[in-house]
Amino acid sequence: MSATISQPRSMPRGPMLIFGALALVGIVTFGVGLSQDPERAYRVYLHNWLMWAVLAQGALVLSSAMRLTNANWQGPIHRVLDSMGAFVPLSLLLFVVVWIGRSHLFQWVDPVWAAEHIHGKELWLSDPSTFLRDVVLLAYLAGVSKIYLYMSIRPTLGAARDNPSTPMKGMVDMWTRGWRGEAAERALAEKRCRKMAAVVALSFTIGYSFIATDMIMSLAPHWISTMFPAYFAWGGFLSAVSLATLILLFMRNSDGLAGQFTESRRHDMGKMIFAFSIFWMYLFWSQYLVIWYGNIPEETSFIVARLGTQFVQDTWYLQGFWTRISEPYVKLTLVTWILLWVVPFWVLLGQKPKKTPIILGTVAFGSLFGFWIERYILVTPSLITPEQVLAGAAVTPFGWMEIGVALGFVGLFFLCFLAFAKVFPGAIPAKS
Amino acid sequence: MAAMTEPIPANADQINEDVFRTLQPPTPLYVLAILLMGGITTAGVGALAYQTYFGMGVTGLQHPVMWGVYITTFVFWVGIAHAGTLISAILYLFRAKWRNAINRGAEAMTVFAVITAGQFPLIHIGRLWKFYFMLPYPNQRGLWVNFKSPLMWDVFAVGTYTTISILFLIVGLIPDIAAARDRIPDWRRHLYNVLSFGWRGTGEQWRHHARAVLHLSGLATPLVLSVHSVVSWDFAVSLVPGWHTTIFAPYFVAGAIFSGIAMVITVLVPVRASFGLHAVIRAEHFDNMGKFIVLTSTIVGYAYATEFFMAWYSTNAFEQAAFWHRAFGDYWWATWIMITCNVIVPLPLWIKRVRLNVTWMWITSIFINIGMWFERYVIITTGLSHEYSPAAWGYYTPSWVEMTILAASFSFFMMFFLIFLRMFPIVAVQEVKETYYENEGAR
């Protein structure tokens, strides 16, 4: 890596303005939404928080996985992943809003309701303790992530350290205390990161298993599935792969990355989306099949609320297919299935599409968008049941509030991403 | 450290010499081992004949535990068979070059493990001669198999897996058999002549060979996931408390890879020591296999924890009772053997020094084999012995017939492995040499 690009750069003005504006749109929308329909606002917020929190952490897990497997093809990819991890501390902060809106989201925060309906679970699901546990977990994850990022970034700060006019010089100095020279730092970072990577991956799995149980499964408090926590966490990981691919494709001609996201690396990222989406489908299917075959109402209820009665029948009756497929949420769920598995699998099967930026990018965007809808589908039908929808409750994934808050999260995520790249200029690398 | 003092092959000829040493005339120790394994296998055949003659009453299987040691052993050996395909197919696609010193051993092991496993459903049905009822073909008996039964899915999953494992082994062996053909002067020459399928080592043949391996890998990769998932659904789609749980498929797959890699270590360490293959199968290979063990052991541990947690969280009395029974009931000892061997014993493998210590790895691998057998035993017997109605609870003790057949399954597997060892190169010579020359170029 040449010394010149390790010098601090000014933030790219255009993107900053755009993402700043998006963040503002999100905040305003959420504010207006709160005053009009707080229940909907918090629901939308929880949906987007889940999507982006697990994605940011998932990006660091992917970076860790590359280190653990000695993936020597990665080149600049893990730097982009590290920058995506910059959202992790903010996600901890944003979780506070979920806590504020708890009474609009979780029935079990009412101890009287809990004692009556889910007696036996109060020990796990109760107002301060559940949230306290999750905050501790998220804070722990943020701490682990920070240590990992520090170890990973430190060797790139050499030039910034020697330059007295670096912005945020104090922080740079702190992060480069006891500097051993660039070569030694790099060797040390490799060794340390390798150890820390295992901790990041393990903490992610455990941490987000709890988040999935507490923040999604508990929305339908009678439902259980041992697969679900792992399924949710895997989704976070795959969505990070998709977003990283998208970012790399967008930035492949920018000065830090020009010539780095080569055809063979696109091929590799394409393979990852392909393989991981098959694995996603495998997890989904393994969960679905066991529930379908077992046919226990308390388990099938979750599937029925999302996939309708079509997919829990004891055999395949075609009569009435379109009626059943038109039950609330069913088509939307099928769209996620198409975006998350059908399209990535069939389109990325060959070599050419994986290497072609426009095709790979479209599939990656589709997958990301698919996850946005999937997270919506995990949250919403538990709060507004299909029966309520049939009785006339208004619900749409593409209302002004849903889109506004989603844009806000996109803005905040990329502001973190860009700010990280500014403070740690080596984070987005140059030609080597 | 061990890795540093390990010899590296002096030249490509030494690799040939090292590997083909296994094909030299047998030592008395080898003959003794074959006789011992053959003896135990014969005892197992005797026990099976006894069971077939007198009926299933001679086993410990009775209401409510109708699945016992036989099904446990079936699942165990199917699990063992997973390492071969993982190493041959998935690591091949990931271009993990280190696999080539161990893939032949793993593939051979896979084939023998599947063959061992495949016998157990037949032994379990008692009337061995009726096994063909499971095959769907139009017949004058007017019988048709029940495709809604996961046991039927098993027939197809395991059948497909057997086919592809054998194909993998044979295709990989072709160039090496040709090398052996030109080297071994005795009667085996004729066998090699047939099995090398006219291999001359032309560019055209190599190109086709490489394509064949690539396509087989692509086809075999989904099988690594599917076979043990289907086996897991034998249990998970039922309503037995402790069986009906959604995480079973990935949890079984991880467990299968875990036990399979452990078995690769268990069989390859003695082979390496007795034939002096230290320069070919090196400590770094054990290091890498150790990493797989750490990963899969963690997944298995995660699944244990999730199951216990969800049983409690569900507030379902039957589910809670099943898991309480599992940990503290009649079979507490089996459960704790399982947790100790599968989660606690592999913990030191997080440390690289330990993974490079081949003796330690070998001992750990044996513990894992024991632990993984007990995992299936725990799932099967505790589930069935403690279902919904307390009036229908019971305790299962395997009879001597079952234990003899269990022991025979190990000796049967080992016997075939030993015979294979004498007949064919246990290391993929061509691939090891390929890597050797690549490294040579880099040096």
Side-chain angles (χ1 to χ4, degrees), chain A residues 312-390:
Chain A
V312 293
Q313 301 182 96
D314 58 347
T315 189
W316 192 259
Y317 298 113
L318 276 181
Q319 206 177 18
F321 178 84
W322 289 110
T323 325
R324 287 190 295 270
I325 221 85
S326 302
E327 287 167 20
Y329 300 114
V330 179
K331 283 179 184 157
L332 204 58
T333 311
L334 290 177
V335 167
T336 67
W337 172 67
I338 290 167
L339 288 174
L340 292 180
W341 181 73
V342 179
V343 171
F345 180 81
W346 291 105
V347 175
L348 295 184
L349 196 54
Q351 245 187 54
K352 264 273 162 53
K354 292 193 196 91
K355 293 176 175 172
T356 312
I358 183 75
I359 300 177
L360 179 63
T362 311
V363 173
F365 179 78
S367 162
L368 200 64
F369 183 63
F371 269 110
W372 186 72
I373 303 179
E374 193 242 20
R375 268 56 172 132
Y376 173 86
I377 279 294
L378 291 183
V379 169
T380 315
S382 295
L383 294 170
I384 302 189
T385 59
E387 291 76 30
Q388 285 169 300
V389 177
L390 289 175

Side-chain angles (χ1 to χ4, degrees), chain A residues 52-278:
Chain A
W52 290 100
V54 72
L55 187 150
Q57 192 68 56
L60 288 183
V61 174
L62 180 59
S63 163
S64 308
M66 286 179 164
R67 284 216 151 91
L68 286 174
T69 52
N70 298 331
N72 48 18
W73 56 272
Q74 57 168 327
I77 294 171
H78 82 265
R79 290 280 171 234
V80 170
L81 292 170
D82 286 357
S83 308
M84 285 163 70
F87 184 74
V88 169
L90 188 63
S91 71
L92 167 66
L93 214 64
L94 292 173
F95 183 69
V96 174
V97 180
V98 177
W99 177 73
I100 294 170
R102 64 197 179 283
S103 58
H104 297 282
L105 293 167
F106 305 100
Q107 283 174 301
W108 45 260
V109 295
D110 175 8
V112 180
W113 185 92
E116 198 176 318
H117 290 93
I118 52 164
H119 181 60
K121 284 188 187 175
E122 301 98 322
L123 207 60
W124 191 259
L125 301 176
S126 63
D127 185 3
S129 70
T130 303
F131 293 98
L132 214 60
R133 173 176 67 232
D134 291 348
V135 164
V136 170
L137 273 171
L138 288 169
Y140 163 75
L141 279 171
V144 167
S145 306
K146 198 201 141 181
I147 297 171
Y148 176 76
L149 284 177
Y150 160 70
M151 289 174 174
S152 172
I153 289 299
R154 186 177 148 109
T156 67
L157 295 177
R161 182 176 175 271
D162 301 335
N163 183 353
S165 63
T166 304
M168 305 190 69
K169 183 82 168 80
M171 185 165 181
V172 170
D173 282 344
M174 200 171 75
W175 276 43
T176 54
R177 201 176 293 151
W179 185 255
R180 298 169 187 79
E182 179 141 344
E185 285 291 341
R186 274 188 190 286
L188 183 69
E190 265 316 298
K191 250 180 101 170
R192 279 168 155 186
C193 283
R194 186 83 68 83
K195 291 215 169 82
M196 204 58 204
V199 180
V200 171
L202 205 60
S203 308
F204 167 77
T205 318
I206 296 169
Y208 274 92
S209 295
F210 280 115
I211 297 293
T213 312
D214 295 345
M215 293 295 122
I216 306 177
M217 210 191 273
S218 79
L219 293 171
H222 295 289
W223 184 68
I224 60 149
S225 165
T226 42
M227 171 79 90
F228 185 74
Y231 165 82
F232 173 73
W234 185 262
F237 184 66
L238 175 56
S239 59
V241 177
S242 298
L243 183 61
T245 309
L246 214 53
I247 292 176
L248 283 159
L249 282 171
F250 261 105
M251 294 178 61
R252 70 182 187 280
N253 293 324
S254 66
D255 55 344
L257 272 172
Q260 293 274 319
F261 198 44
T262 54
E263 192 177 75
S264 89
R265 286 195 178 122
R266 287 199 294 274
H267 189 197
D268 284 328
M269 287 307 269
K271 278 193 242 176
M272 283 218 274
I273 297 183
F274 176 74
F276 294 167
S277 95
I278 296 176

